Amino acid sequence: MDERTLADLLHRFGLSDKEVDTYLTLLEHGEAKASTIADAAGVSKRYVYSVSEALEERGFVEVNDHVVPTTIRAVPPEDVIRRLRSDVESMQPGLEERYAEAEPTAEQFEVVKSRVTVFKRLRELIDAADSEVTLSVPREHLKEVETELREAVDRGVLVLLIVTGEEDLPDLDGVASAVRVWREPMPTMVTVDQSIGAVAPAEMLLRSNSDRQAIVFAQEQLGPVLVGSFFGNYWPTAEEVATAAPATLPSSYENFRHAVFQATVHLRADTPLHAAVEGRFTEDGAAAIEGRVVDTRQGMVAPANNEFPVQHSLVVETEDGELTVGGPGAFVEDVEAERVTLSRA
């Protein structure tokens, strides 16, 4: 094996260029004084001592500092290989365990042909929600996911629900943060945390003999598109029938849309509201602002006052004047928020 290939292999075990040069030089001498290694490797004597300590911790060399002058001895290669092999083998169970338990991060699509499986996937997705759920579902099938929706609300998840169909509605208390009704059929759509979701044609859930199919996806680029369609095409058309009471203050939110929702319902309940915002100015630089919340721009609670469907922002009166705050990707606001804490002013 040539020296370059050997050096490349040693680099894979975390050795730097200088450590590789020093170690290979030491192998040629077997055991030598630091000054000898320094001259042969083209480094300082002090550096040889420093590198040798690091190599000793990894089991490549032994430093004999009980003799004068100090000598450095290369550990026999078969002992080094035996130890490295043992380390690699001992890692295998832990790596395999974590690999088996890890959630898939690759972009995925699943085609679902069964109505029963669609409801199963909806329940699984809602159960997995950390911060936000948008959902449209036929009135007669709301019971299929009602328990999961209530549990999500109890966890502090923002749940925006459209119930479709002409039937009378059941008790909606606690089932969502805001509920709207649309009398016309629409696709059953769910997005969770703006990254995973599902779409099922209306007739697939309304007709037991439908040959239509649903799609379940895990794709970061597709999630925001579906959320945009939900807010742009369906939510404004539906009629608001229920809105949850404001949350207890103080409360902190990393989901910016939830912060705007809570600010809106608090302001409409005449709560004097204070916001502390961590993020960055949209033009340049980190931002940490605070002040009284004087207004919101939003379309989640009627009446809407945003300029376009996905605009959700806070208007905060600070010591430096009035600033607008938006969520991730904000471009029309002054500040892009990463975290918002709301409290009573």
Side-chain angles (χ1 to χ4, degrees), residues 41-249:
V43 296
S44 69
K45 185 177 176 181
R46 179 179 299 178
Y47 187 85
V48 171
Y49 283 124
S50 175
V51 169
S52 297
E53 290 177 359
L55 291 173
E56 185 177 39
E57 290 179 358
R58 301 183 187 185
F60 286 89
V61 306
E62 292 179 354
V63 178
N64 300 317
D65 53 6
H66 59 279
V67 299
V68 180
T70 297
T71 61
I72 305 161
R73 184 180 70 85
V75 173
E78 59 269 23
D79 293 343
V80 174
I81 298 301
R82 187 181 304 112
R83 183 190 58 78
L84 293 175
R85 183 182 294 115
S86 175
D87 289 345
V88 172
E89 291 175 351
S90 66
M91 286 192 299
Q92 183 175 349
L95 295 176
E96 290 178 344
E97 180 181 358
R98 283 160 178 77
Y99 178 79
E101 293 179 354
E103 291 293 332
T105 56
E107 297 175 355
Q108 294 184 356
F109 288 90
E110 176 190 5
V111 177
V112 178
K113 301 178 181 180
S114 163
R115 185 166 64 177
V116 172
T117 304
V118 170
F119 292 129
K120 179 181 178 181
R121 293 291 182 266
L122 291 178
R123 289 191 289 268
E124 291 172 348
L125 292 171
I126 297 168
D127 273 340
D130 288 326
S131 61
E132 180 181 285
V133 172
T134 65
L135 172 67
S136 62
V137 66
R139 155 67 182 84
E140 58 266 42
H141 295 304
L142 178 60
K143 62 181 181 295
E144 299 282 355
V145 293
E146 183 175 348
T147 298
E148 289 73 22
L149 289 173
R150 293 183 184 277
E151 290 174 351
V153 171
D154 290 342
R155 293 197 305 273
V157 175
L158 174 66
V159 177
L160 302 176
L161 172 65
I162 297 178
V163 180
T164 62
E166 298 182 355
E167 297 86 351
D168 293 335
L169 292 173
D171 177 21
L172 297 173
D173 184 39
V175 77
S177 308
V179 184
R180 295 195 173 192
V181 173
W182 198 13
R183 304 300 176 184
E184 301 299 326
M186 68 171 282
T188 292
M189 303 163 54
V190 62
T191 59
V192 170
D193 302 337
Q194 301 187 66
S195 59
I196 58 177
V199 180
E203 55 267 39
M204 181 180 184
L205 300 188
L206 296 175
R207 292 170 44 202
S208 59
N209 60 347
S210 172
D211 59 355
R212 303 298 296 273
Q213 299 175 345
I215 294 177
V216 180
F217 66 87
Q219 188 182 49
E220 292 184 359
Q221 291 78 14
L222 185 56
V225 174
L226 198 60
V227 171
S229 176
F230 182 87
F231 280 115
N233 299 325
Y234 300 107
W235 190 257
T237 308
E239 174 190 358
E240 182 176 284
V241 294
T243 302
T248 303
L249 298 176

Side-chain angles (χ1 to χ4, degrees), residues 251-266:
S251 297
S252 294
Y253 303 94
E254 293 184 358
N255 181 304
F256 184 73
R257 196 151 32 227
H258 200 174
V260 174
F261 176 87
Q262 290 297 335
T264 301
V265 294
H266 270 290

Side-chain angles (χ1 to χ4, degrees), residues 1-28 51 55 58-61 74-75 77 80-81 83-84:
M1 181 181 296
D2 62 74
E3 187 167 328
R4 169 172 286 187
T5 302
L6 183 58
D8 289 342
L9 292 173
L10 289 169
H11 285 146
R12 297 184 186 180
F13 289 96
L15 273 64
S16 66
D17 290 338
K18 290 294 185 181
E19 288 172 335
V20 169
D21 292 342
T22 302
Y23 179 55
L24 292 179
T25 301
L26 186 57
L27 282 174
E28 294 174 355
V51 169
L55 291 173
R58 301 183 187 185
F60 286 89
V61 306
V75 173
V80 174
I81 298 301
R83 183 190 58 78
L84 293 175

Side-chain angles (χ1 to χ4, degrees), residues 281-295:
F281 289 104
T282 51
E283 291 187 356
D284 183 41
I289 69 166
E290 58 180 286
R292 188 182 182 94
V293 181
V294 296
D295 200 1

